[in-house]
Amino acid sequence: MSGARTDIEAVEAANTALYEAVERGDMDALSQLWLEDGISVVHPGWPVLTGRGEVLRSYALIMANTDYIQFFLTDVEVSVVGDTALVSCTENILSGGPAEADGTAGPLVGGLVVATNVFRRTPDGEWRVWSHHGSPVLVENEDDEDGGSVDEGDVEL
Amino acid sequence: MSGARTDIEAVEAANTALYEAVERGDMDALSQLWLEDGISVVHPGWPVLTGRGEVLRSYALIMANTDYIQFFLTDVEVSVVGDTALVSCTENILSGGPAEADGTAGPLVGGLVVATNVFRRTPDGEWRVWSHHGSPVLVENEDDEDGGSVDEGDVEL
C-alpha cells in the first residue's frame, strides 16, 4: 500500500482488486484478498456462506461456470472508520455464456447487482475483505410519477 | 448495555432490536438504532440507499405497505473485531397482506431472505447499525445429488 494514498483510495483499490480477481479467474489473488477469519459471502440469490472453505469454494464454482465476466462499478461509496471500511457499489455486469460449437464466443448477458463489501485493515496495513454481499436489483422505477425511487407496490423486507 | 454481557451478546441484542423495531413499525426506535453518518441499506431486490434520509424513508415506505410482519432469525453468525461487528443471518419472514373487506386478516405470506448487518460501537458503548443488506434466496438445492449446496447451473455474481 502506497503511503501517499488516502484510506479511501486504498479501500477503493482493494474493492477493485476483488472484482479484477474474479474477472481474471485468479483464485490465488482472490484468496489473498480475503481475511483469514470470520468472513462471509452472499452471491446474488444465494444463501449465506461463511468461513474460508465455503467462501473460496463458491468463487471456484462461479469461475468454473463463467467463461467471461466483466464488472463496471458505479455508485461506489466508501465509509472508513478506524480499521474498518464499508463499501457500497453497483456492479454492472457483462458476462458471456459458453462458446458456440463452432468456436465463436457465446452470447453476452448483462446484469445489475448491488453490493455491500466490508473490509478490515490488517496489522501490515493491507485492506482485506471481511464480507461481500451481492444481490440482484429487481425493482427500480425511478421514473415513477409519484417521485418514488422504488416501486411501492412491490416492497419486500 | 449491561456490563455483564459479552460483545457478541450485545451485538445479537442490537441485531434483534433492528428486526423488532420493524415488526412494531416503530420508526423512532429504528431511527435510534442507526448510526448518524455513512450508513447504507439494501432491501431485497432494491438498489443501494445511502444516508439517513434515504435509509429511514425506505423503512417508512415498507412499514406503510406492510400490515403485519414477523421475523424468525436463524443461522445468526456474529464476528466482532474491536468496535465493529459483522452479523449474517437468515430472515424467515411471515408477513400479512391488507385486511379483507369484511375486516378479517389478509393472507399470510412466507419469505426467505439472507442478511448481512454491520454494526459499530459508539463511544457511549451502544452498538448501532452501519449497514443492512438483505437479499432474496432464489437458489438453494441442498438435496442435490452432486452434494453441492447451491445450484451450479444457475450461478450469478
Side-chain angles (χ1 to χ4, degrees):
Chain A
M1 186 175 108
S2 161
R5 288 192 293 177
T6 66
D7 285 350
I8 287 178
E9 287 171 334
V11 170
E12 285 176 344
N15 192 61
T16 302
L18 176 65
Y19 292 102
E20 288 179 346
V22 177
E23 286 177 343
R24 294 196 311 273
D26 187 340
M27 277 302 294
D28 287 342
L30 195 76
S31 174
Q32 291 279 328
L33 289 167
W34 284 80
L35 287 170
E36 291 297 319
D37 299 313
I39 63 176
S40 66
V41 73
V42 179
H43 301 297
W46 288 37
V48 181
L49 304 175
T50 56
R52 281 184 76 82
E54 288 191 4
V55 169
L56 295 179
R57 181 169 169 274
S58 74
Y59 278 104
L61 265 175
I62 289 167
M63 289 173 179
N65 284 279
T66 305
D67 286 273
Y68 172 84
I69 191 161
Q70 193 167 3
F71 297 93
F72 302 92
L73 301 183
T74 53
D75 311 311
V76 180
E77 301 263 359
V78 180
S79 172
V80 179
V81 178
D83 291 326
T84 312
L86 179 68
V87 179
S88 63
C89 60
T90 301
E91 307 170 2
N92 304 270
I93 301 173
L94 191 63
S95 60
E100 305 291 345
D102 64 1
T104 57
L108 287 174
V109 182
L112 193 62
V113 163
V114 289
T116 302
N117 301 325
V118 188
F119 294 82
R120 271 190 18 231
R121 180 160 39 198
T122 59
D124 62 4
E126 298 292 328
W127 289 96
R128 298 282 180 87
V129 189
W130 193 3
S131 166
H132 164 70
H133 190 144
S135 62
V137 178
L138 306 174
V139 178
E140 191 170 32
N141 293 317
E142 297 202 3
D143 298 331
D144 271 5
E145 292 295 323
D146 65 9
S149 62
V150 290
D151 183 351
E152 298 179 29
D154 201 12
V155 291
E156 292 180 292
L157 247 201
Chain B
M1 187 178 107
S2 161
R5 287 192 294 177
T6 65
D7 285 350
I8 286 178
E9 286 171 335
V11 171
E12 284 176 345
N15 192 60
T16 302
L18 175 66
Y19 292 102
E20 288 179 346
V22 177
E23 286 177 344
R24 294 196 311 273
D26 187 340
M27 276 303 293
D28 287 342
L30 195 76
S31 174
Q32 292 279 329
L33 289 167
W34 283 79
L35 286 170
E36 290 296 320
D37 300 312
I39 64 177
S40 67
V41 75
V42 178
H43 301 297
W46 289 37
V48 180
L49 304 175
T50 55
R52 281 185 74 82
E54 287 192 5
V55 169
L56 295 179
R57 180 169 170 275
S58 74
Y59 278 104
L61 265 175
I62 288 166
M63 289 173 178
N65 285 280
T66 305
D67 286 273
Y68 171 84
I69 191 160
Q70 193 167 3
F71 297 92
F72 302 92
L73 301 183
T74 54
D75 311 311
V76 179
E77 300 264 359
V78 180
S79 171
V80 179
V81 178
D83 291 327
T84 311
L86 178 67
V87 179
S88 64
C89 60
T90 301
E91 307 170 1
N92 303 270
I93 301 173
L94 191 63
S95 61
E100 304 291 346
D102 65 2
T104 57
L108 288 174
V109 183
L112 192 64
V113 163
V114 288
T116 303
N117 300 324
V118 189
F119 294 83
R120 273 194 11 236
R121 180 158 41 196
T122 60
D124 63 3
E126 298 291 330
W127 289 96
R128 299 283 179 86
V129 189
W130 193 3
S131 166
H132 165 70
H133 191 144
S135 63
V137 178
L138 307 175
V139 179
E140 191 170 31
N141 293 318
E142 298 200 4
D143 298 330
D144 270 3
E145 293 295 324
D146 64 9
S149 63
V150 291
D151 183 350
E152 298 179 28
D154 200 11
V155 291
E156 291 180 291
L157 246 202

